[in-house]
Amino acid sequence: MKAKRIPERFCLGCQESRPKKDLLRIVRSPEGEFSVDVTGKKAGRGAYICRSMACLERARKSRALERSFKSPIAPVVYDMLANELKGLEG
Ligand SMILES: [Zn+2]
C-alpha cells in the first residue's frame, strides 16, 4: 500500500512544515502585486504561512516575507493578510 503524500510547505512564521491546506498562500503576481491566494492556484511566486495571527506576526518581525520574495513588503500587504486571517479564524 502506497500512502499518498500530502504536499507540505514551510510556514514563514514558525518555520515548520505543514500540509498546504493548513497554510495561507501569499502570491506576488508578475506585475508585482501581492495578494492572498485562497484557492492555491494563482500564478506567480508564492509563500506560505499558517492560518494564524501569531505566525503572521512572527513573519512580519523576522522579515521572512521580504527575504522570501526578495523585495520590500508594504504595510498594507500585512494588513491584508491580517484581515484575511481574522476572517478565517472567525
Ligand atoms: Zn506557522
Side-chain angles (χ1 to χ4, degrees):
M1 282 277 284
K2 244 198 238 173
K4 203 179 172 190
R5 252 191 80 79
I6 297 160
E8 292 194 341
R9 292 291 181 276
F10 280 96
C11 165
L12 289 178
C14 57
Q15 308 288 328
E16 276 177 43
S17 182
R18 299 193 187 277
K20 263 172 89 172
K21 63 175 172 55
D22 291 346
L23 299 164
L24 193 65
R25 184 167 184 246
I26 304 138
V27 174
R28 187 179 61 195
S29 74
E31 291 77 37
E33 241 175 73
F34 287 93
S35 60
V36 178
D37 181 10
V38 184
T39 62
K41 291 183 170 67
K42 278 189 191 174
R45 176 146 174 57
Y48 297 82
I49 58 163
C50 297
R51 293 168 181 244
S52 129
M53 283 296 224
C55 282
L56 176 60
E57 275 308 306
R58 283 168 79 167
R60 192 206 294 245
K61 285 203 182 96
S62 66
R63 302 199 163 270
L65 277 172
E66 276 91 339
R67 282 206 302 273
S68 179
F69 286 109
K70 296 183 173 65
S71 85
I73 312 285
V76 290
V77 175
Y78 288 108
D79 291 345
M80 178 182 73
L81 291 170
N83 279 332
E84 195 70 33
L85 286 174
K86 265 183 222 156
L88 290 170
E89 285 184 341

